[in-house]
Amino acid sequence: MFAAASGGIPLDKYHTFGLAVRTQALILPAREDEVPEAAQKAAYILGEGSNILPLGDLPPVLSTRYLRGYAVLEATSDLVRVEVAAGENWDGWVRFCITQGWYGLENLAAIPGSVGAAVVQNIGAYGVEVAPWVESIYGWNKRLQAWQRLPAEACSLGYRSSVFQMPAWQDQFVITRVVLRLKRRYEPVLTYPDVVRRKHPRLLYDPLYLYETIRAIRAEKLPAEGSAGSFFKNPILKEPELADLQKKAPDIPFHPLPDGRYKVPAAWLIDKAGLKGYRLGGAQVHPRQPLVLVNLGNATPQDLWALAQHVQKTVAERWGIHLEPEVRVLAPVPTLEP
Ligand code: EPU
């Protein structure tokens, strides 16, 4: 469960940017009862590392990726309540649910990362978020030194956000299981422009076909490796802020939210600021989806960080909009001894 070596353990395979950074110790509990002791030793808690940018070598890291398994708690003709371990791979889980006839998660196909991480950042894609499917979250609270079950309503699940990102909880609560409430009836969400464009009658009755369609849409736009998905969140603006932006950018697409605010695509702001494909050292603004920053193979953490700051600065100067990172940036320890 615990690996440490002088000079550190390579972390390139434990995060999706694939950077040549190390950690002082890599802690990989394979059973839930190992978590309390493991958590004590860890500075950072990760799943598959698909939403982090380590800025250098890291202090001890715990990954929950080997906590596996699931249990059906209740099954009726309408719904299934199923508890799934945090370390299950998200995409594998989505596909498994479909094969079992448990529906709701289809549009979240092919999102990198683990089940635990899915709730930490309330993943969303193609008109669906994970939040409405979550009933409760179970895990080890380091501060209280106790296991806790939190109802979803207590977890402040919002747009790419949750209580688990707040200082009192971040790296203090190790999610080990999630209870999901899924439907037995397939009711596809086919509203997102990319999906609408692929209108095919089979989407209406074949959930696995929808799953494969979403995979194909993602594969067209998103790089297979060397990124952490969207690097920034889509900005959410109040009406006067949108009106201001429209003066500079009359064509900006916008999406009204139920609370009266508007979501605008960061990809558009970056694209129209001329940054698509922009390179800095070994890092690049992805040419097909400019919200994604990529490690071209030999990027340093500093290349990626400098690129992120360049994008933020350029967008702020051009449009007066601050882009907030969606990726979690991890502070390093001072250089490890070789
Ligand atoms: N756009 C451009 N130029 C481009 C690409 C996009 O102007 O080169 C504009 C277009 O107006 C397009 C809009 O940006 O309609 C939105 O683009 P897209 O549909 O690709 O989605 P996104 O808003 O950039 C979000 C999520 C993704 C998710 C997709 C699909 C965030 C931060 N990102 O991206 O999630 O897969 O929608 O639903 O909300 C992630 O969080 O890591 C992630 C990949």
Side-chain angles (χ1 to χ4, degrees), residues 234-246 252-257 259-265 269 319-323:
N234 285 327
I236 295 178
L237 306 179
K238 295 188 186 123
E239 182 127 34
E241 294 166 333
L242 176 66
D244 269 355
L245 176 59
Q246 282 172 322
I252 180 87
F254 57 90
H255 175 72
L257 299 175
D259 66 4
R261 294 184 298 165
Y262 298 87
K263 197 190 269 186
V264 298
L269 300 171
W319 307 115
I321 300 282
H322 170 70
L323 291 183

Side-chain angles (χ1 to χ4, degrees), residues 125-126 159-160 192 221 230 232 234 265 268 271 276 289-290:
Y126 307 103
Y159 169 57
R160 292 297 189 280
Y192 200 85
K221 288 194 173 176
S230 302
F232 300 101
N234 285 327
W268 192 99
D271 182 357
K276 233 172 167 172
Q289 175 30 305

Side-chain angles (χ1 to χ4, degrees), residues 50-51 107 111-112 121 123-128 159-160 192-194 197 217-218 221-222 228-234 251-253 263-272 276 286-292 326-327:
S50 60
N51 202 45
N107 293 26
I111 296 184
Q121 58 165 152
I123 56 169
Y126 307 103
V128 174
Y159 169 57
R160 292 297 189 280
Y192 200 85
D194 283 345
R197 230 168 277 138
I217 294 171
R218 292 185 73 93
K221 288 194 173 176
L222 297 166
S230 302
F231 196 92
F232 300 101
K233 294 186 190 186
N234 285 327
D251 302 336
I252 180 87
K263 197 190 269 186
V264 298
W268 192 99
L269 300 171
I270 300 170
D271 182 357
K272 303 297 184 282
K276 233 172 167 172
H286 194 254
R288 286 193 302 281
Q289 175 30 305
L291 195 46
V292 175
E326 198 255 332
V327 166

